[in-house]
Amino acid sequence: MSETVFTYAAPALKFGAGASTEVGHDLAALGARRVLLVTDPGVAATGHPARVAEVITAAGLEVTTYDEARVEPTDESLERAVAFGRDAGPFDAIVAVGGGSSIDTAKAVNLLVTNPGELIDYVNAPVGKAQAPAQPLLPLVAIPTTTGTGSESTTICVLDVLSLKVKTGISHPALRPRLAVVDPSLTTTQPAMVTAAAGMDILCHALESYTARWYADFDAKRPEERVPYCGANPIADMWSERALGLLAGSFRDAVRDGSNRVAREQMALAATFAGLGFGNAGVHIPHANAYPIAGRVRDFRPDGYPPDEPIVPHGMAVSLTAPEAFRFTFDAAPERHQRAAELLDPSAGSGPDALADVLATLMRDIGLPNGLAEVGYAEADVDDLVAGSLKQQRLLATAPKPVTDEDLAGIIRRSMEHW
Ligand SMILES: [Zn+2]
């Protein structure tokens, strides 16, 4: 029997320049007295977390800061953060200030200061035991300082399990932040390449959730089987379409001139809208491929990122196979792919290549690598990349049509060079 029900959930939202200065009031309104603030060293250096801590203290609350969240969290980095939270607690609210990594770290800490057991008990199967939390979590307030990840809206914490060399996650509705505070004045310090990569992540969140398998095309679920990501649906569609429109108007400008405040605000709004969409619909092939593309990096070091470690940033990794992924999925939902292409570029052509062409042109304009070859991959890597993508079955199942290993190999092979 086919599914007839879709679900929609989202955090409360406070958006706009200066919104983060009100967080002391917001936490007090949630009944908090002792607050744990989670951030990472890079974000801490910008001074934003210290300013947030100040407004919390000014509201008469106590705040303890943990500033050692890892960019790209691992099981070990999350366990350290949890140990800190368990030792320094009890707390009655958590605030995350930073990118997806800080927010994801705060989600894991929140889960494990309120619930017994170890991290791996809650990690998605088959890597972990996929246990559901038995106790309610603390209210989590997420204050993103990089636009893109959408982590402030989602139920997911992404992590690398080091011993298994696998990227996986913890996903449960209880992990979703209670309040997202999106303050575009916190994001003006991003280098151009960071804006480009983060913007492609936003764009792919919107495109993948818009082209995801329609919710009614899944098998019917029992109430206890419902998952936060239920496939494309009328409400997620609305957010995705609006996000695409905002990106069409502001993405190139935001990359070209980091001080363009209007463009930055539009990007922050696009990121929020896309998060509200994909946080319920889900993402598919480009995100599945991004896991091994980021995870198997050898020595690629993009401009604008710390030079000490090779990295294919998440948004860049997502974008590199996106044009070919959408060429592949076109026939499953031609009108949706066409509409997305036109929202991004009213002069887009038509047919299976329209969206792929719009994406490749955009990527070239904003200075992203011209495909997988430029970040260090070659024909000899195709099998390993395919194997890595196949581990992301939860994401592949959200694609609008079945995806075989040969399909993935074709997408990856044709993504070596886009123009
Ligand atoms: Zn993403």
Side-chain angles (χ1 to χ4, degrees):
M1 207 181 99
S2 296
E3 186 54 85
T4 55
V5 172
F6 72 90
T7 54
Y8 185 84
L13 175 67
K14 188 173 265 199
F15 184 98
S20 63
T21 63
E22 301 184 5
V23 72
H25 170 88
D26 296 327
L27 284 160
L30 288 168
R33 289 206 313 277
R34 293 199 68 211
V35 178
L36 174 65
L37 188 156
V38 177
T39 188
D40 72 59
V43 174
T46 66
H48 295 317
R51 278 186 288 278
V52 169
E54 257 168 54
V55 301
I56 296 172
T57 314
L61 314 182
E62 239 179 84
V63 58
T64 303
T65 296
Y66 179 75
D67 62 4
E68 286 167 52
R70 188 180 190 280
V71 176
E72 309 286 323
T74 64
D75 47 349
E76 286 175 7
S77 81
L78 294 180
E79 280 159 5
R80 275 197 302 277
V82 167
F84 180 92
R86 283 178 169 174
D87 285 350
F91 298 101
D92 40 30
I94 300 182
V95 178
V97 184
S101 301
S102 294
I103 299 173
D104 283 6
T105 299
K107 289 175 182 172
V109 171
N110 194 6
L111 174 66
L112 284 153
V113 296
T114 49
N115 280 271
E118 302 305 319
L119 188 74
I120 200 72
D121 297 336
Y122 299 93
V123 168
N124 292 342
V127 176
K129 294 185 198 155
Q131 208 170 293
Q135 300 298 325
L137 275 62
L138 301 174
L140 170 61
V141 176
I143 310 180
T145 58
T146 51
T147 44
T149 69
S151 180
E152 72 279 5
S153 303
T154 70
T155 60
I156 289 210
C157 160
V158 178
L159 68 143
D160 285 300
V161 177
L162 294 174
S163 57
L164 301 172
K165 288 204 168 83
V166 61
K167 212 182 229 326
T168 178
I170 305 173
S171 179
H172 190 275
L175 263 55
R176 196 188 310 269
R178 178 81 61 87
L179 170 66
V181 177
V182 183
D183 185 341
S185 62
L186 300 182
T187 64
T188 47
T189 46
Q190 275 177 192
M193 186 55 92
V194 176
T195 304
M200 287 308 296
D201 193 27
I202 303 170
L203 180 51
C204 289
H205 289 156
L207 286 174
E208 290 172 54
S209 52
Y210 194 57
T211 56
R213 191 166 162 193
W214 187 245
Y215 76 94
D217 294 337
F218 288 88
D219 290 337
K221 293 172 210 66
R222 291 191 300 273
E224 67 277 15
E225 294 170 335
R226 296 210 179 277
V227 287
Y229 298 89
C230 62
N233 62 75
I235 293 182
D237 278 359
M238 204 171 64
W239 292 115
S240 302
E241 288 183 5
R242 289 301 305 275
L244 291 172
L246 286 165
L247 287 162
S250 61
F251 195 175
R252 285 178 173 83
D253 290 344
V255 174
R256 209 178 297 128
D257 175 10
S259 64
N260 183 331
R261 226 190 38 172
V262 176
R264 291 235 171 243
E265 278 201 25
Q266 300 287 294
M267 291 295 284
L269 204 52
T272 307
F273 284 13
L276 294 172
F278 96 89
N280 292 277
V283 287
H284 56 89
I285 301 172
H287 267 76
N289 291 343
Y291 281 82
I293 292 168
R296 308 185 68 88
V297 60
R298 294 192 195 97
D299 51 20
F300 183 71
R301 288 173 170 81
D303 289 344
Y305 289 83
D308 40 321
E309 260 185 288
I311 183 173
V312 183
H314 172 71
M316 187 184 285
V318 169
S319 72
L320 287 171
T321 63
E324 290 305 324
F326 293 118
R327 211 189 304 275
F328 166 76
T329 54
F330 174 83
D331 62 356
E335 62 303 323
R336 283 181 171 260
H337 288 69
Q338 185 65 39
R339 169 118 175 96
E342 286 165 8
L343 282 167
L344 287 170
D345 178 359
S347 65
S350 60
D353 300 328
L355 183 53
D357 290 350
V358 166
L359 284 177
T361 305
L362 174 64
M363 288 164 67
R364 198 185 53 202
D365 288 356
I366 60 174
L368 281 174
N370 177 13
L372 292 172
E374 201 173 316
V375 302
Y377 294 109
E379 177 62 33
D381 300 306
V382 172
D383 289 348
D384 286 339
L385 292 172
V386 168
S389 301
L390 285 170
K391 290 199 181 117
Q392 309 302 324
Q393 281 304 324
R394 186 182 61 82
L395 301 185
L396 295 175
T398 311
K401 68 188 210 188
V403 194
T404 66
D405 42 358
E406 289 94 74
D407 295 331
L408 285 172
I411 290 167
I412 288 167
R413 225 170 247 132
R414 290 189 294 275
S415 297
M416 289 295 166
E417 202 168 74
H418 290 300
W419 56 82

